[in-house]
Amino acid sequence: MANLTRLTVLGLILATGGQTAVGDDIGPFLKQHCVKCHGASTPKGDLRLDKIAPPSAQSSDVWGTIADMIESGDMPPSKQPRPDAAEVKRVVAWINAELARAAQPEPALRRLNRSEYEHTVQDLLGIDTSLSELLPEDTSVQGFDNVATGLGISSILLEKYLDAANVAFEGTIRRIKPLEPATRHIKLMDLKENVESVKQKRGGVIERDGAFVDFTAGWPPARIDPAHPIEDGVYRCRVAVFPHEPNDHRTLSVAVFTGPLFGDGKRIFQGMFDVTGSAKEPRIIEFTTRMAESHAMHILPWIYPEHVTWRDKEEERPGVAILWAETYGPLDQDFPSLATQRLFGPFGEGSTLEIKEGAGVYIRHRRGVKSHYVDSTAPREDAARIIRRFVPRAFRRPVDDSLAEQFVALTLARLEEGSSFEQAVQAGVAAVLCSPHFLLLNAVPTVDDYAIASRLSCFLWSSMPDDELLAQAAAGKLSDPDVLHAQVDRMIDDPKIERFIENFTGQWLDLRDIEFTTPDAKLYPEFSELLQRSMLAETRGFFRHILKNDLSVLNFVDSDFAILNQRMATHYGIEGVLGHEEFRVVPLPEDSVRGGVLTHASVLKVTANGTTTSPVIRGNWVLDRILGQPAPPPPPGVPAVEPDIRGATTIREQLDKHRAIESCARCHNRIDPPGFAMEEFDVIGGHRNRYRSLGDKGDRIEKTNYRLNLPVQSNGVLADGHEFADFREFRSQLLEHPDTIARALATKLLIYGCGRPVTSTDRAIIESVTTSTRTSNFGLRSMIHAVVDSELFRRP
């Protein structure tokens, strides 16, 4: 393999003068299966296994690659006699044990990444202020952005943290006393703008039964200006809708966003809602969200017909009828805010803290409005108390008085310099939030119960420990395996586990790249934002279901169920699923091509470029994400293979020529077969037997711009010589290696969960996690428990 050729220099350094330097443990195995190609006749500069020294810290990468090649079956070559499985297992176990003995692990000092920083500060202060966008993107190492070696600290980054800390502090204080809650209600056909749109047939909208009927998801959406909030706050939003001319097997839906009425400001997706009911009894959609002054609800129909084609004038045209919309709020009436009380302490009778009026503020709908600030009649005492109380909560452990007093002294110094009470407290809080004791996870030299609590909360919640977890740490109970596992289960069942689901799947499966490409509208007219959002919801829901129920990780390769709504079921050709709002467990037919993440439209979209698919990209993805056996990068100067969207040649024909290049064939024999199998799926995850094209060749599909062209060839031969006829057979062959699949995911979980690189010397730990979950058929929940139990999780 190319990996071995890159290790030739190390191999020569490790060669010794004696025969079979590794002795009788694996010497006979190497002599029988390896020395013929990697022995005395080996070309100068290549790796020799007849004289290689036993594993050491310096040779761990070499021996790790050797173990990988033997374990994966890449070596010996497929045409050579194969060792039996038991012998392979024994040799790999010996290498793993020797690598573990040779390991010289170093402490992994890592900071919070920007997602962890945001969630930790939000949970610490009780705010929902967005902070991650104020910080630069984190470097990804081994596929994840929370790994110690990618999370350094610089003076520029500290300035960014200081800016974020000040924004977070400001988010704790409500400056203006809120209005009394009020309802702002509008019937859409009472609005002149909507009446004019209907009269002039702008956008094809119509009026039916007193409702404004919209047919497309185009911007701008239906106008509901009088229902907009007039002040920032939390609001309950309600919309009355019913379907216009649906048919029996179609469920219409509406997407609701909140955000600026005009411009390019960020709009927040509130959900997709099924449109049911009638004009007399409409569906009332309701949700609660934070909205800014003049922000609006954006109500857009999401309508997917049976086929995305041009529509004849006489065809039935379904739409969404919107009767009325309203907002009620602001609901958050606490003044001072709960976050202010959490940080500063109690206000009111007997307290030295005060909320005082400041300068006047112009608000067009209110007169005499004053800004407010926090003050104290005992500023030194209150400032010291606030900081002393804040420091241990922020540092996630008890602290020495000498450490806390450093931040107290800074705060009091600001008071003495003439800063206001609030400004002085802000300086102290910001200093705490920029301290290494806050930013670094492993700031103490020993791994005690508090360190375990912080690691566990960062792993599963991307945040700080909650009160219960800290209480268990304070009692020294997290060293008790039963208590620790009970806490892991509690955390998995907590709503904050959604952060883990989103962050882990976003990186392991590349779901963060779902918006990176936009499919060609002529080739794939059925693509829409509804489909894309449904793609993400399917995969996250699938992962969640496996996690919550401790199902086997082998389900990620093949499963007899899917998590679908109507849009995804229609996309996959699965009948009997109605409604876009609810994702549910759907049993799959025995002969279904669906099942497992390899057939998820989300995965198939992120491994394509929006126009064409590439067996190289998808094959490499399978090797890395599913099998844990990534191929090395291509040699320099070798051009990429670009598919022909005109339909003249297939990508397979082009790759056949590519493999004729000797330097390419070695890796492409591993990469291409999985990619060929996945050619059965197009760029948006649809199953196909012919390629779509925009050229003049092929069969035109009525009322579309594309043609069906050359047939898909999804057969292939794996590197070990096994043949498969199509994707189903390829998937079945993957399942013949359950340990490999489980080991690959265990490695990903160890990297993410421990926040440090996994190296060749950690192979025994990976094997231990994999082996310990075999009794649960490699249950995902069990695997997370095993990661928490691992030596790597507790390593300094």
Side-chain angles (χ1 to χ4, degrees):
M1 293 299 299
N3 281 2
L4 289 177
T5 63
R6 290 201 300 274
L7 299 170
T8 53
V9 175
L10 259 179
L12 290 173
I13 293 174
L14 299 169
T16 66
Q19 297 295 315
T20 57
V22 293
D24 295 334
D25 293 294
I26 66 168
F29 179 94
L30 297 179
K31 184 176 181 181
Q32 180 180 355
H33 297 288
C34 308
V35 168
K36 180 179 179 181
C37 297
H38 296 278
S41 60
T42 300
K44 186 176 181 180
D46 281 354
L47 179 65
R48 288 183 60 174
L49 297 180
D50 57 334
K51 296 184 177 182
I52 190 169
S56 66
Q58 292 73 30
S59 66
S60 60
D61 286 344
V62 176
W63 277 103
T65 302
I66 293 171
D68 285 340
M69 296 299 102
I70 295 173
E71 191 170 51
S72 66
D74 286 335
M75 291 292 171
S78 58
K79 296 181 180 179
Q80 299 297 320
R82 314 290 293 177
D84 62 51
E87 183 68 357
V88 167
K89 186 175 181 179
R90 184 190 69 80
V91 169
V92 171
W94 181 88
I95 296 174
N96 290 348
E98 292 298 311
L99 286 171
R101 274 191 284 271
Q104 297 176 356
E106 297 180 357
L109 198 64
R110 89 162 180 92
R111 63 169 171 83
L112 303 175
N113 68 13
R114 66 178 190 161
S115 173
E116 293 163 343
Y117 180 90
E118 176 178 85
H119 290 310
T120 299
V121 173
Q122 288 175 340
D123 291 346
L124 175 65
L125 297 177
I127 61 175
D128 57 9
T129 307
S130 177
L131 301 172
S132 61
E133 295 177 357
L134 302 175
L135 303 172
E137 290 190 8
D138 299 301
T139 302
S140 180
V141 174
Q142 293 189 349
F144 296 98
D145 64 5
N146 66 338
V147 178
T149 50
L151 296 172
I153 295 182
S154 66
S155 58
I156 295 176
L157 184 57
L158 281 175
E159 291 179 7
K160 297 292 185 181
Y161 276 125
L162 181 59
D163 291 341
N166 286 323
V167 170
F169 180 86
E170 184 63 25
T172 66
I173 301 174
R174 190 165 199 168
R175 298 294 179 188
I176 299 173
K177 192 170 184 178
L179 284 171
E180 290 294 320
T183 298
R184 296 175 62 81
H185 181 97
I186 181 63
K187 294 180 179 178
L188 269 75
M189 291 311 298
D190 286 349
L191 275 177
K192 181 180 178 181
E193 296 93 333
N194 292 335
V195 172
E196 287 298 316
S197 293
V198 170
K199 285 183 178 179
Q200 298 177 23
K201 298 182 179 180
R202 288 199 297 260
V205 295
I206 62 173
E207 184 269 336
R208 285 290 185 275
D209 298 317
F212 180 85
V213 181
D214 202 354
F215 298 94
T216 68
W219 291 88
R223 300 290 296 273
I224 57 169
D225 302 29
H228 300 168
I230 59 175
E231 274 193 13
D232 298 358
V234 176
Y235 289 83
R236 185 182 68 223
C237 304
R238 304 174 77 217
V239 183
V241 296
F242 63 90
H244 171 72
E245 295 189 2
N247 59 29
D248 294 337
H249 56 283
R250 176 194 287 126
T251 301
L252 307 183
S253 64
V254 63
V256 182
F257 297 77
T258 53
L261 180 59
F262 301 108
D264 298 326
K266 182 178 180 181
R267 294 181 173 90
I268 300 173
F269 178 67
Q270 298 295 341
M272 63 183 84
F273 303 93
D274 294 336
V275 177
T276 56
S278 64
K280 292 183 178 180
E281 296 183 0
R283 160 86 190 269
I284 308 299
I285 296 168
E286 182 175 319
F287 60 91
T288 299
T289 186
R290 179 170 293 280
M291 298 178 73
E293 176 191 356
S294 79
H295 276 198
M297 282 185 285
H298 301 281
I299 307 165
L300 291 89
W302 275 350
I303 302 167
Y304 179 72
E306 292 79 4
H307 302 286
V308 177
T309 61
W310 300 321
R311 186 179 297 279
D312 292 332
K313 289 183 179 180
E314 66 274 9
E315 286 187 75
E316 178 188 274
R317 191 177 185 192
V320 172
I322 310 169
L323 276 168
W324 53 260
E326 70 177 28
T327 59
Y328 175 77
L331 302 178
D332 48 334
Q333 291 287 305
D334 296 288
F335 191 78
S337 70
L338 295 177
T340 304
Q341 298 176 53
R342 181 189 183 103
L343 176 61
F344 286 87
F347 290 75
E349 186 176 353
S351 173
T352 53
L353 295 172
E354 302 176 288
I355 293 290
K356 289 187 174 181
E357 288 188 350
V361 178
Y362 171 74
I363 299 180
R364 59 185 174 86
H365 57 272
R366 295 173 67 182
R367 295 181 180 276
V369 178
K370 300 286 188 179
S371 178
H372 292 76
Y373 63 93
V374 181
D375 205 353
S376 169
T377 58
R380 291 184 61 85
E381 292 78 4
D382 277 335
R385 172 186 56 78
I386 290 167
I387 298 302
R388 290 191 184 109
R389 179 172 171 268
F390 183 66
V391 167
R393 289 196 296 123
F395 293 171
R396 306 174 288 277
R397 62 172 51 250
V399 298
D400 293 336
D401 290 343
S402 59
L403 177 58
E405 290 307 311
Q406 295 177 29
F407 299 97
V408 172
L410 182 149
T411 305
L412 297 181
R414 291 299 176 91
L415 279 174
E416 293 170 0
E417 293 168 1
S419 296
S420 69
F421 172 72
E422 186 183 294
Q423 290 169 340
V425 173
Q426 178 175 355
V429 168
V432 170
L433 297 182
C434 294
S435 166
H437 295 276
F438 176 78
L439 294 175
L440 300 180
L441 267 184
N442 303 327
V444 293
T446 57
V447 181
D448 57 11
D449 279 38
Y450 288 103
I452 292 174
S454 289
R455 293 181 182 192
L456 197 56
S457 60
C458 269
F459 178 13
L460 297 178
W461 289 348
S462 296
S463 184
M464 63 183 292
D466 65 357
D467 290 342
E468 180 172 342
L469 196 56
L470 285 174
Q472 297 290 352
K477 293 184 177 180
L478 293 182
S479 301
D480 181 335
D482 291 338
V483 173
L484 180 62
H485 288 298
Q487 288 298 310
V488 171
D489 283 330
R490 179 182 71 86
M491 295 175 75
I492 290 175
D493 293 334
D494 189 278
K496 285 186 284 190
I497 196 64
E498 293 301 314
R499 299 170 182 173
F500 167 69
I501 293 171
E502 181 175 344
N503 285 330
F504 184 76
T505 59
Q507 297 177 86
W508 171 44
L509 300 176
D510 285 329
L511 299 189
R512 287 182 178 179
D513 295 336
I514 194 72
E515 296 180 354
F516 189 71
T517 61
T518 300
D520 187 291
K522 293 182 178 180
L523 280 171
Y524 299 99
E526 63 267 53
F527 180 77
S528 67
E529 186 175 0
L530 168 59
L531 179 59
Q532 181 165 287
R533 289 188 180 277
S534 297
M535 290 176 181
L536 285 176
E538 176 200 7
T539 304
R540 290 171 181 165
F542 187 74
F543 186 93
R544 182 187 304 112
H545 183 73
I546 292 173
L547 172 62
K548 296 282 189 178
N549 295 282
D550 198 25
L551 301 183
S552 173
V553 301
L554 301 181
N555 281 291
F556 291 123
V557 172
D558 192 13
S559 62
D560 59 5
F561 68 92
I563 308 295
L564 305 175
N565 67 349
Q566 180 180 342
R567 182 64 190 89
M568 293 310 304
T570 303
H571 190 54
Y572 294 161
I574 297 172
E575 298 180 351
V577 180
L578 291 178
H580 300 101
E581 191 170 336
E582 178 192 354
F583 281 78
R584 69 221 75 168
V585 178
V586 178
L588 294 173
E590 189 172 341
D591 62 345
S592 175
V593 73
R594 302 295 170 175
V597 296
L598 294 180
T599 67
H600 281 200
S602 60
V603 167
L604 294 161
K605 183 178 185 297
V606 299
T607 55
N609 67 7
T611 303
T612 58
T613 56
S614 167
V616 176
I617 294 174
R618 285 180 169 174
N620 220 343
W621 192 94
V622 172
L623 292 179
D624 179 19
R625 309 310 167 92
I626 304 301
L627 299 177
Q629 300 166 357
V638 177
V641 179
E642 297 293 342
D644 179 8
I645 65 170
R646 297 168 302 173
T649 60
T650 65
I651 185 68
R652 190 185 189 103
E653 292 169 338
Q654 293 172 275
L655 283 171
D656 285 342
K657 296 179 181 179
H658 196 66
R659 282 197 305 277
I661 305 172
E662 185 176 355
S663 60
C664 300
R666 181 177 292 176
C667 289
H668 278 273
N669 287 337
R670 293 179 63 225
I671 296 171
D672 294 353
F676 289 150
M678 295 181 71
E679 279 295 280
E680 287 190 24
F681 303 95
D682 62 30
V683 303
I684 59 172
H687 192 241
R688 64 187 177 186
N689 52 31
R690 296 172 69 185
Y691 291 98
R692 295 183 185 184
S693 71
L694 297 176
D696 296 329
K697 297 181 179 180
D699 300 326
R700 181 175 292 281
I701 301 301
E702 185 180 2
K703 299 181 182 179
T704 70
N705 290 299
Y706 65 84
R707 297 173 181 267
L708 291 182
N709 213 308
L710 298 173
V712 172
Q713 296 174 282
S714 58
N715 63 304
V717 182
L718 296 173
D720 62 6
H722 287 86
E723 298 182 4
F724 58 87
D726 54 22
F727 175 80
R728 290 178 178 84
E729 287 192 9
F730 165 73
R731 184 171 57 187
S732 296
Q733 292 197 20
L734 286 184
L735 287 176
E736 292 179 6
H737 306 280
D739 282 28
T740 299
I741 297 165
R743 194 179 296 114
L745 186 55
T747 303
K748 301 295 184 184
L749 287 170
L750 281 165
I751 296 168
Y752 181 91
C754 301
R756 64 175 74 219
V758 171
T759 69
S760 298
T761 59
D762 300 317
R763 290 179 58 88
I765 297 174
I766 298 170
E767 196 61 35
S768 175
V769 170
T770 306
T771 301
S772 68
T773 58
R774 190 172 286 116
T775 55
S776 66
N777 194 25
F778 307 115
L780 178 57
R781 195 177 186 120
S782 297
M783 193 169 282
I784 287 176
H785 280 281
V787 168
V788 173
D789 282 339
S790 71
E791 184 270 330
L792 193 65
F793 190 80
R794 298 161 186 270
R795 187 178 290 174

